[in-house]
Amino acid sequence: MELLTTNNVWMMICTALVFFMHLGFAFLEIGLTRQKNTINILFKNIFIITIGLLLYCLVGFNLMYPGFADGDIGLFGFAGFGLDAPLTEAGALDLAYNEGYTYWTDFLFQGMFAATAATIVSGAVAERMKIGPFMIFTILYVGLIYPIAGSWKWGEGFLHTLETPFYDFAGSTLVHSVGGWAALVAVCLLGSRIGKFKDGKLQAIPGHNIPLATAGVIILWLGWFGFNGGSVLSADPGLTSLTLVTTCLAAASGGVIAALVSFLKYKNMDLTMFLNGILGGLVGITAGADQMSPTDAIIIGAVAGAIIVFAVSLIDRLKLDDPVGAIAVHLVCGIWGTLAVGIFGALASGAQFVSQLIGVVSYAGICIISSFLIIFVMKKTVGIRVSEREELEGLDAHEHGMDAYPDFRLNEH
């Protein structure tokens, strides 16, 4: 019973840390965008966590962990609406996939992950997507697509039952790429912000509060102690401490290498690239944080940091407008981190790399198809983009009738 209590307390602490990450996402997104859209971004982030928890309780948790037959792909295993463990100690503990902590803690920890996918999309579509369609997208993507996709691995679905099981420790693919693929689709369907590309040339649209963005990244780094540390699913001292070490080292190397490569490429010390390098390192290590040595983690983070610089440049050349770099960080580095499990660490092998590639392709398929259908249908019916006037004057005024800084306004265009 003492071990159970220790494990459960650790899992609850990690749950709180992952919850705290939503403040980091909000700060980062606010800081890298213009002040006239601050209320809109805050509203979206608060909506995501609130509706995400409700949907995960009513639908998502039982979709994600239905108890699979062999080869089940997670479309027909729904176990019913709502949480259904008996309100007794025995009922709360008697489930094979959460030995060592309670059913209720398991739900809450997993629920915090569920909302993150939509948060990633929020940053990519910032400053030009209508709030109503974004909310509809969040409900469908978090309520249905994320748990179905998650069940393929974490619910012991078909990716878990491959001869060499696909491995994603804490969600480089299951969380970050799931959000990243949808972000890519949404950006393609939305188009770029007014003024981002003039006569085919890229124009910088600077964020209004880089100190706030920096605080957001530090909060996210702290929250990743819970994101990866909690994914050990126990308070095992050896495995937990190793996971936290690899997580931190990958973040550090990602930031340093991103800053260095950015300096060599552009001849300036770009803080935003430094910050996104840290996040890229964190996303990259998340798939295999418990399987890597410290040196492996540094290499994985370093590659992620370099990838960030070139991915951001490629996205700009493709004339895709991602205000916060979400696609480069979460999708590109998520793919890299997932494949890295087959290259580095305790699981490295040719067979493992093939399984990792199968997982990447599988999630690309469901995420691209589902997000395209959801967003495209809304684009052709209710519309997904605000008017030119609304975009120029700011979403805060037109979507919310509020001003985030009523006593300190800047003239923005």
Side-chain angles (χ1 to χ4, degrees):
M1 192 65 186
E2 183 177 341
L3 178 60
L4 168 65
T5 300
T6 301
N7 287 339
N8 204 59
V9 169
W10 170 244
M11 291 298 294
M12 287 190 286
I13 291 171
C14 290
T15 299
L17 287 170
V18 179
F19 176 78
F20 193 45
M21 290 176 75
H22 289 278
L23 178 63
F25 278 119
F27 277 6
L28 176 63
E29 193 176 339
I30 291 166
L32 294 180
T33 54
R34 291 167 289 185
Q35 75 167 54
K36 63 186 178 183
N37 299 308
T38 299
I39 296 293
N40 181 259
I41 289 166
L42 289 173
F43 189 96
K44 287 191 297 181
N45 278 269
I46 295 298
F47 176 78
I48 287 166
I49 185 61
T50 52
I51 200 67
L53 282 171
L54 293 172
L55 290 169
Y56 202 66
C57 172
L58 296 173
V59 179
F61 192 56
N62 284 341
L63 266 178
M64 199 160 173
Y65 300 101
F68 284 108
D70 288 344
D72 192 335
I73 62 170
L75 297 177
F76 307 106
F78 185 46
F81 290 97
L83 303 181
D84 57 3
L87 293 175
T88 65
E89 183 176 358
L93 301 179
D94 189 20
L95 288 170
Y97 62 78
N98 67 333
E99 293 175 354
Y101 55 101
T102 72
Y103 175 90
W104 310 113
T105 298
D106 187 51
F107 155 71
L108 201 57
F109 180 69
Q110 302 295 344
M112 294 302 167
F113 278 61
T116 303
T119 302
I120 293 166
V121 180
S122 171
V125 303
E127 303 199 293
R128 72 249 198 231
M129 187 171 186
K130 291 180 180 179
I131 190 70
F134 178 82
M135 294 165 72
I136 294 170
F137 169 80
T138 298
I139 290 169
L140 294 174
Y141 206 67
V142 173
L144 295 176
I145 306 307
Y146 170 80
I148 290 172
S151 71
W152 292 355
K153 167 58 185 176
W154 290 343
E156 301 187 356
F158 80 98
L159 289 174
H160 183 75
T161 58
L162 294 174
E163 184 175 351
T164 301
F166 172 72
Y167 195 82
D168 191 353
F169 174 64
S172 286
T173 284
L174 271 76
V175 177
H176 295 284
S177 288
V178 166
W181 286 117
L184 177 61
V185 170
V187 166
C188 290
L189 290 173
L190 262 177
S192 61
R193 291 169 292 173
I194 296 170
K196 180 65 176 179
F197 299 99
K198 291 183 178 179
D199 300 323
K201 294 183 179 179
L202 174 68
Q203 305 293 319
I205 301 179
H208 84 281
N209 197 325
I210 301 304
L212 199 61
T214 304
V217 170
I218 297 299
I219 290 170
L220 286 168
W221 191 345
L222 173 62
W224 237 283
F225 280 85
F227 202 87
N228 285 1
S231 294
V232 175
L233 304 181
S234 78
D236 178 277
L239 198 52
T240 299
S241 55
L242 172 65
T243 297
L244 298 185
V245 167
T246 58
T247 298
C248 274
L249 290 175
S253 65
V256 168
I257 296 302
L260 176 61
V261 172
S262 177
F263 174 73
L264 293 175
K265 184 174 175 61
Y266 299 110
K267 306 300 185 232
N268 69 329
M269 298 286 190
D270 188 336
L271 176 59
T272 61
M273 201 68 80
F274 204 158
L275 296 175
N276 271 336
I278 291 170
L279 296 179
L282 288 165
V283 171
I285 196 61
T286 291
D290 63 329
Q291 301 294 325
M292 303 300 171
S293 71
T295 303
D296 292 332
I298 291 172
I299 295 170
I300 290 169
V303 173
I307 284 173
I308 285 290
V309 179
F310 293 104
V312 168
S313 176
L314 175 62
I315 290 164
D316 286 339
R317 287 201 302 274
L318 294 173
K319 293 185 170 53
L320 299 176
D321 185 9
D322 179 1
V324 302
I327 297 169
V329 169
H330 297 282
L331 175 57
V332 180
C333 289
I335 292 171
W336 156 242
T338 302
L339 296 178
V341 173
I343 303 171
F344 300 96
L347 297 178
S349 70
Q352 188 66 58
F353 184 85
V354 171
S355 291
Q356 299 304 103
L357 188 59
I358 291 171
V360 168
V361 172
S362 298
Y363 282 102
I366 186 174
C367 295
I368 291 171
I369 293 170
S370 61
S371 58
F372 178 83
L373 288 174
I374 294 168
I375 299 171
F376 184 76
V377 168
M378 290 193 295
K379 181 176 181 177
K380 294 301 182 181
T381 53
V382 297
I384 58 174
R385 182 156 182 161
V386 299
S387 69
E388 181 177 349
R389 179 187 174 189
E390 289 171 330
E391 185 174 344
L392 291 173
E393 294 181 359
L395 277 63
D396 290 0
H398 287 276
E399 296 268 23
H400 306 278
M402 301 175 69
D403 189 339
Y405 308 99
D407 297 323
F408 183 72
R409 288 190 59 84
L410 297 175
N411 292 320
E412 296 180 302
H413 302 284

